[in-house]
Amino acid sequence: MRVLDRIEQVRKELESARSDGRRVGLVPTMGALHAGHASLIERSARGCDVTAVTVFVNPLQFGPTEDFARYPRDLAADAAAAEAAGADLVFAPPVDEMYPGGRALPETRVEVGRLGEVLEGAVRPGHFSGVATVVAKLFAVAGPCRAYFGEKDYQQLLVVRQVAADLSFPVEVVACPTVREADGLALSSRNRYLSGDERLAATVLWRALATAAASGERDGGRLRELMARYVSSEPDVELDYAEVADPLTLAPVATVEGEARLLIAARVGTTRLIDNLAVTP
Ligand code: AMP
């Protein structure tokens, strides 16, 4: 497996694979790879002939008070994990390769619209424009491919689908299920920030989602209340939002009639965690 850090190298490599009739799979990540990322890489390796994993902590999607500086970075460990999961190539560009011209941040941005302004977008202004911009660049570098994204970041998955459709990228976006710890906590690179007690308290996100989904309740307001009450039972966890939303538009749902999405964001100590689950009547 090769680790590349230049756009032109990756572009050439993937173009040459396609000209040999091989199907390209792309797995964008910010590194600190765990079993959730591995599940995406394995899925790509099963469905495609060449799997490229990108490792890039994108400064554009972090707010000024967020964890960009302390986000875990360990390229050697990530390369080993990517290779073990079946990757053929890791693209780990420095910031000035992605955003050249002596600027840490590009002037040209992709705007997402309403889908990027609700839920995570309301709490993290500019976040989804940052995500959409880096994803558009990665799609432009990779060329025609299948791109694998986790349902763990459900709103991001919808934003990425919208970017691919609206900007006509020749990319098929594939959604992959959330990988969880045995006690339900969704795997996340940020879980490593949690202390022992916080790690235990963090399972309340999953417990709230699972309890709400199993409750049989169809009223959106009562489902929101149920999740919020559940989360507030953990003293060290502070809720940002608990929402019941349309699975495609993320508009709030008054009554669950078809499938809907339960979404939660909360702070456990200083660590912000998100999770979500499908609910059906
Ligand atoms: P990140 O490195 O956090 O930007 O995540 C890279 C990709 O891995 C995104 O598509 C995430 O949705 C996905 N991902 C992160 N955690 C999980 C998980 N626990 N299960 C499945 N996919 C995940």
Side-chain angles (χ1 to χ4, degrees):
M1 193 198 66
R2 300 174 63 204
V3 180
L4 304 176
D5 60 4
R6 296 291 149 203
I7 285 174
E8 274 319 311
Q9 297 171 316
V10 176
R11 188 171 266 151
K12 243 172 67 196
E13 191 93 4
L14 298 182
E15 261 168 19
S16 136
R18 273 187 301 269
S19 70
D20 293 340
R22 301 166 78 201
R23 186 192 287 274
V24 171
L26 181 72
V27 184
T29 81
M30 298 203 300
L33 299 188
H34 51 62
H37 299 113
S39 75
L40 272 53
I41 300 168
E42 285 159 8
R43 177 97 176 260
S44 172
R46 283 198 302 276
C48 303
D49 306 300
V50 179
T51 291
V53 175
T54 72
V55 173
F56 181 62
V57 185
N58 174 32
L60 206 52
Q61 70 189 68
F62 288 79
T65 61
E66 294 181 2
D67 56 345
F68 176 70
R70 71 163 177 156
Y71 199 86
R73 292 165 171 88
D74 184 347
L75 183 56
D78 287 340
E83 182 165 30
D88 301 288
L89 180 164
V90 166
F91 175 43
V95 170
D96 65 357
E97 177 70 4
M98 289 296 277
Y99 304 133
R103 286 181 270 113
L105 301 177
E107 306 235 328
T108 304
R109 312 277 173 100
V110 176
E111 285 305 328
V112 174
R114 207 201 62 83
L115 196 51
E117 284 159 13
V118 298
L119 301 172
E120 283 300 283
V123 184
R124 307 179 68 188
H127 170 67
F128 286 114
S129 174
V131 169
T133 302
V134 80
V135 164
K137 284 186 67 88
L138 293 172
F139 285 176
V141 171
C145 64
R146 281 189 183 142
Y148 295 80
F149 288 86
E151 288 186 351
K152 158 72 171 48
D153 301 282
Y154 190 79
Q155 188 172 5
Q156 170 174 280
L157 171 67
L158 297 181
V159 164
V160 168
R161 278 197 198 287
Q162 180 181 293
V163 168
D166 284 355
L167 302 184
S168 304
F169 282 107
V171 173
E172 180 194 338
V173 175
V174 181
C176 303
T178 301
V179 176
R180 300 179 179 282
E181 304 279 9
D183 61 8
L185 179 69
L187 265 58
S188 163
S189 305
R190 292 190 167 98
N191 290 351
R192 67 180 70 187
Y193 300 151
L194 301 171
S195 70
D197 287 347
E198 289 172 347
R199 168 65 186 79
L200 289 175
T203 60
V204 78
L205 278 77
W206 165 250
R207 287 184 277 128
L209 291 168
T211 305
S215 68
E217 179 61 65
R218 292 176 54 195
D219 181 78
R222 282 199 289 271
L223 280 166
R224 285 179 200 99
E225 242 174 67
L226 192 160
M227 291 189 285
R229 222 176 326 114
Y230 216 99
V231 171
S232 67
S233 72
E234 280 291 346
D236 295 335
V237 181
E238 198 167 326
L239 187 68
D240 271 350
Y241 59 79
E243 189 53 274
V244 189
D246 179 276
L248 297 177
T249 66
L250 293 184
V253 162
T255 310
V256 178
E257 276 155 358
E259 188 177 301
R261 206 81 194 179
L262 306 175
L263 302 111
I264 288 188
R267 275 162 290 138
V268 186
T270 56
T271 305
R272 197 162 173 285
L273 299 178
I274 56 172
D275 201 353
N276 68 87
L277 189 64
V279 61
T280 45

